[in-house]
Amino acid sequence: MSSVILRNVNKSYGNLPIVKNLNLEVKDGEFVVLVGPSGCGKSTTLRMVAGLEDITQGEIQIGKRAINDLPPHKRNIAMVFQNYALYPHMSVRENIVFGLKKSGADAETIKQKLADVSEMLKLDDYLDRKPADLSGGQRQRVAMGRALARDADVYLFDEPLSNLDAKLRHHMRTEIARIQHQYNMTAIYVTHDQIEAMTLGDRVVVMRDGIVEQVGTPMEIYLQPTNTFVATFIGSPAMNLIEAEIEGEDLVFDNYRLPAAKIANVDLQDLKSHDTVLVGIRPDFFEDSALSLKRSPSDNLFEFNDIQVELVENLGFDKEIMFKLGGEDAKARLDLRSHVKRQENISMSVDLNRVLLFDTSPQGMLLNAGEV
Amino acid sequence: MSSVLIKNESRLGLKLVAPAVGIIGLLVIYPILFNIYLSFFDVQLNGTKTFVGMENYTDLLGNPRYFHSIGVSVIYLIGTVVGTTVLGLAAAILMNQEFRFRNLARGLILLPYFAPVISVVFGWQFIFDPVNGIYNHVVVDVLHLTDTRENLIGNPDSALFVVILFDIWKHFPIAYLLFLAKLQSVPKDLYEAAAIDGQNAWGRFWHVTLPELRFVIATVVLLRIIWNLNRFEDVYLLAPNVETLPIFTYYQAFAGIVDQGVAAAISVIQLLVLVGLIWLYVRKVLKW
């Protein structure tokens, strides 16, 4: 295993920049997830590490080696492709050991690795089949096996689960997490699925338009997104952002006055330099006041009274309700004990320690400082 | 479906294929059967036929010219099939790379295949003309590789190689076209996966390109064998002294001492070989 360092990495096609001045250090044994919408440059970044794309500018290092000018076959990396890219004329067994053989492993090691990998990924029964005779999930496992069998410095995953159905995707996600911990491998994982990013990454890199918006642990990204893009991209349903006027020390929208002083880590002096701010509340942080759950005197709650429920979506354990806040559509996620109904007026409470404030600039920068 | 409908359907089907079956019967089946029939007779030009049993076949198997023509045909087949396949593959791989004017180049490569045989044959004869040809000019006068001007087409031994070269040049574009079509459909990520698995360019060709092309290569090889086993016009027009099997058959049937019975016997044997090859093709290549 090795660390991976990207230093001022740029990639452009002609005059079109794809990745802009990217800096990232993936530590030895760390699992880093690159996440972002389509076209944000995450796959391109991964492919530059793999050597499948040229680096326009900057440097990439694996371990102590600068690898800019090394072709992919000399980089000692392993990769799982989105469409698996299994060799169609080779059996599952041959696919798995193909790279291992090339790397010069002796027969005993190859046999051992094959046995390990096929047991771990439950491929024992398919070893003599061709990829064409496998289901999508099985092919995905073979692609994983082919990468894991290698003794690579770094493992790259390019949206490996995006072609699987929801159930299988969840299963494989857990498998990958388990394997990563077991092998303690250095891995870079690209996905547009924020759940994969949250659950798999030791650290998550959120990208947009070729720029890194935020790097942090999943919980940092979730609780302390540096701007409104990260705030709304991570978390589902997306964070509610409500525009509020600043009147004295209150944040005012609809009939509500949120006391800014009770919101965590907000510099009141700084706040007063703004006319309006965006109040960010995750749907998960609303509670049905009728249930009065988990309340203790120390809780720093704010009541939203007279909320008219426009729609209720029952998801089993959760229910998502839709309503209006500050004139915009808003969502809350309540648990199954709540009995709210469509068209009903209800009260919901929010822990003010969980409320985030963003400025109204195009970037929408976070105004809360420090740990939340 | 009711039985009436099925009956009507099959009746319509019969009507639809009848014209094709009729034409094939007249132009292919009848000549083949008549040919087999003829091969057991001594046929005179005035049309009189005398039944001779297996005599045509025994004559043929005792004729050294027959075996010589088989030998020439085998060399011709190996040379042309290997040549067109290798050159076609090389051209296809080259034309699958990105470069300026690629589309133009892709089109130009097809030209020899489009050109009428008769016109390019004259061009080739002129190239190898011992007095005025550019080949002798370059070899003797420019490069001084040898002092004597050779008549490559006049000498049957060297003419065989000219004929092979001509066929490769004329027919590699069809192999190229088939290979290129398949190459374009090879998923790019297979090459990427192989690169990541440690394969350099040669390894990627060996482990990805060739296996992906396997069935196309098999198809090309078999088609070329079938075509060139019967190839007449290219060889006869360029160098009639190169006696491949079809040329030998022609001489037996229509030139010198005309012996249509023996010619028919040669054709029957050749037909059996061809049927064997087609059987192989259908069983092993088309049924993959």
Side-chain angles (χ1 to χ4, degrees):
Chain A
M1 299 294 159
S2 287
S3 60
V4 179
I5 300 168
L6 293 91
R7 225 175 263 125
N8 303 324
V9 169
N10 283 277
K11 171 76 187 177
S12 44
Y13 293 114
N15 288 327
L16 183 72
I18 304 293
V19 174
K20 301 169 196 162
N21 210 35
L22 186 138
N23 283 286
L24 180 67
E25 181 173 355
V26 181
K27 297 186 198 76
D28 194 1
E30 191 182 27
F31 199 115
V32 166
V33 177
L34 307 184
V35 67
S38 301
C40 72
K42 56 191 190 300
S43 276
T44 308
T45 305
L46 189 80
R47 291 169 60 82
M48 282 193 282
V49 175
L52 302 173
E53 301 277 354
D54 295 333
I55 301 158
T56 309
Q57 218 175 63
E59 189 184 60
I60 299 182
Q61 236 177 290
I62 296 181
K64 298 227 179 312
R65 287 191 301 171
I67 47 141
N68 283 42
D69 299 325
L70 280 185
H73 63 271
K74 291 187 178 158
R75 293 191 181 192
N76 196 27
I77 45 176
M79 182 160 169
V80 181
F81 290 82
Q82 184 174 11
N83 297 317
Y84 318 139
L86 300 175
Y87 309 116
H89 60 286
M90 295 185 197
S91 66
V92 168
R93 181 195 315 273
E94 290 163 332
N95 263 286
I96 291 175
V97 303
F98 183 65
L100 198 56
K101 265 187 185 161
K102 178 68 191 174
S103 70
D106 59 75
E108 192 52 42
T109 316
I110 291 175
K111 210 175 137 193
Q112 190 56 47
K113 278 275 189 183
L114 177 68
D116 284 355
V117 163
S118 63
E119 198 210 326
M120 179 169 55
L121 294 167
K122 302 183 186 69
L123 289 169
D124 289 319
D125 296 339
Y126 313 115
L127 285 178
D128 293 314
R129 293 212 202 154
K130 295 275 172 69
D133 303 327
L134 301 178
S135 70
Q138 290 162 345
R139 281 180 215 177
Q140 209 284 331
R141 295 215 298 274
V142 177
M144 289 282 297
R146 181 173 66 182
L148 293 175
R150 295 271 310 284
D151 195 9
D153 287 336
V154 52
Y155 295 81
L156 308 174
F157 299 84
D158 189 5
E159 310 212 18
L161 305 183
S162 60
N163 288 345
L164 302 181
D165 64 56
K167 199 175 161 194
L168 208 49
R169 194 180 312 156
H170 189 164
H171 173 73
M172 283 312 293
R173 203 172 69 213
T174 342
E175 287 296 293
I176 292 174
R178 199 167 56 81
I179 292 162
Q180 197 267 334
H181 291 307
Q182 190 178 335
Y183 279 64
N184 196 31
M185 59 194 191
T186 311
I188 305 179
Y189 186 108
V190 162
T191 181
H192 60 260
D193 181 323
Q194 40 124 343
I195 297 177
E196 283 171 31
M198 291 290 290
T199 52
L200 287 172
D202 291 325
R203 278 192 303 153
V204 176
V205 178
V206 184
M207 293 181 70
R208 175 175 58 164
D209 295 339
I211 289 175
V212 172
E213 295 284 353
Q214 187 170 4
V215 183
T217 65
M219 285 319 274
E220 281 167 9
I221 302 259
Y222 181 73
L223 294 174
Q224 187 103 30
T226 52
N227 57 35
T228 50
F229 170 76
V230 179
T232 50
F233 187 76
I234 298 290
S236 172
M239 182 187 282
N240 302 301
L241 292 173
I242 309 125
E243 192 167 320
E245 310 259 341
I246 296 174
E247 289 182 23
E249 295 193 351
D250 289 343
L251 310 170
V252 180
F253 57 92
D254 297 343
N255 299 320
Y256 308 112
R257 299 183 79 89
L258 269 67
K262 290 191 169 183
I263 296 174
N265 301 312
V266 172
D267 180 344
L268 287 175
Q269 292 311 312
D270 175 45
L271 199 61
K272 281 176 181 160
S273 65
H274 299 269
D275 297 331
T276 54
V277 288
L278 292 172
V279 177
I281 308 173
R282 289 208 179 273
D284 319 64
F285 295 149
F286 283 96
E287 280 179 24
D288 184 349
S289 301
L291 295 175
S292 306
L293 303 166
K294 301 179 256 173
R295 282 203 197 173
S296 67
S298 67
D299 278 349
N300 185 13
L301 295 177
F302 183 85
E303 290 285 328
F304 288 96
N305 297 314
D306 283 332
I307 297 251
Q308 195 189 23
V309 178
E310 290 182 349
L311 198 63
V312 179
E313 286 183 334
N314 252 309
L315 304 172
F317 181 79
D318 301 317
K319 51 190 66 176
E320 285 178 21
I321 70 164
M322 266 145 271
F323 53 98
K324 287 270 190 293
L325 261 189
E328 300 283 332
D329 286 324
K331 281 189 176 182
R333 189 179 354 223
L334 305 178
D335 74 41
L336 84 171
R337 283 162 293 188
S338 173
H339 294 295
V340 297
K341 292 192 178 59
R342 203 163 77 85
Q343 305 293 5
E344 236 177 24
N345 280 342
I346 62 163
S347 297
M348 290 189 293
S349 55
V350 168
D351 183 350
L352 286 174
N353 292 325
R354 295 286 178 227
V355 171
L356 300 174
L357 301 181
F358 300 93
D359 68 27
T360 49
S361 70
Q363 284 77 33
M365 301 306 288
L366 185 69
L367 297 171
N368 312 52
E371 294 291 311
V372 173
Chain B
M1 234 193 291
S2 78
S3 62
V4 179
L5 274 179
I6 293 175
K7 217 182 244 173
N8 282 343
E9 187 99 327
S10 66
R11 209 176 290 153
L12 175 68
L14 278 179
K15 281 180 193 160
L16 288 175
V17 298
V21 168
I23 291 170
I24 290 176
L26 271 175
L27 293 181
V28 179
I29 309 285
Y30 170 72
I32 286 177
L33 293 178
F34 187 63
N35 197 54
I36 294 173
Y37 166 80
L38 272 189
S39 71
F40 298 108
F41 286 85
D42 179 22
V43 186
Q44 300 300 316
L45 270 185
N46 62 12
T48 53
K49 295 189 275 285
T50 325
F51 182 75
V52 294
M54 296 301 286
E55 200 184 294
N56 286 329
Y57 289 95
T58 49
D59 276 1
L60 194 58
L61 296 178
N63 184 347
R65 260 182 86 195
Y66 177 60
F67 290 101
H68 176 257
S69 74
I70 288 177
V72 172
S73 266
V74 166
I75 296 172
Y76 178 71
L77 270 180
I78 292 174
T80 54
V81 170
V82 171
T84 44
T85 307
V86 170
L87 189 61
L89 184 57
I93 289 170
L94 191 67
M95 289 300 138
N96 202 33
Q97 313 296 318
E98 300 274 349
F99 59 88
R100 276 185 80 189
F101 306 121
R102 180 172 76 168
N103 287 343
L104 184 69
R106 279 182 174 178
L108 286 177
I109 285 192
L110 293 173
L111 275 182
Y113 195 66
F114 295 150
V117 177
I118 189 67
S119 59
V120 287
V121 156
F122 281 123
W124 274 65
Q125 281 176 339
F126 192 62
I127 290 173
F128 291 102
D129 184 281
V131 182
N132 299 314
I134 185 139
Y135 170 79
N136 276 306
H137 174 69
V138 170
V139 169
V140 178
D141 300 339
V142 179
L143 299 175
H144 303 291
L145 293 176
T146 162
D147 291 337
T148 47
R149 292 174 166 265
E150 301 280 348
N151 184 356
L152 286 185
I153 291 182
N155 175 353
D157 289 334
S158 53
L160 174 59
F161 293 97
V162 175
V163 165
I164 289 173
L165 264 184
F166 175 78
D167 181 86
I168 293 172
W169 171 80
K170 179 108 180 70
H171 294 281
F172 87 90
I174 190 69
Y176 149 82
L177 205 60
L178 290 167
F179 291 141
L180 185 62
K182 178 64 194 173
L183 276 180
Q184 287 173 336
S185 74
V186 178
K188 218 177 130 221
D189 58 4
L190 279 186
Y191 289 104
E192 296 179 346
I196 292 202
D197 275 338
Q199 300 293 340
N200 58 20
W202 172 248
R204 295 196 289 274
F205 172 76
W206 192 254
H207 293 289
V208 177
T209 310
L210 273 189
E212 284 286 303
L213 286 179
R214 201 170 80 200
F215 292 110
V216 182
I217 292 174
T219 307
V220 165
V221 165
L222 268 155
L223 280 177
R224 294 291 298 142
I225 290 176
I226 291 168
W227 292 345
N228 274 7
L229 199 62
N230 288 332
R231 177 81 54 201
F232 176 78
E233 73 281 15
D234 298 16
V235 182
Y236 187 74
L237 289 173
L238 182 58
N241 53 357
V242 175
E243 216 165 88
T244 58
L245 207 47
I247 310 284
F248 174 67
T249 313
Y250 172 79
Y251 287 146
Q252 294 299 310
F254 301 111
I257 306 156
V258 173
D259 195 339
Q260 297 201 323
V262 169
I266 305 170
S267 308
V268 169
I269 295 173
Q270 202 173 333
L271 177 74
L272 289 177
V273 173
L274 254 184
V275 166
L277 284 173
I278 292 170
W279 176 83
L280 196 75
Y281 174 69
V282 171
R283 286 296 296 270
K284 301 286 175 189
V285 179
L286 291 186
K287 284 231 173 149
W288 55 278

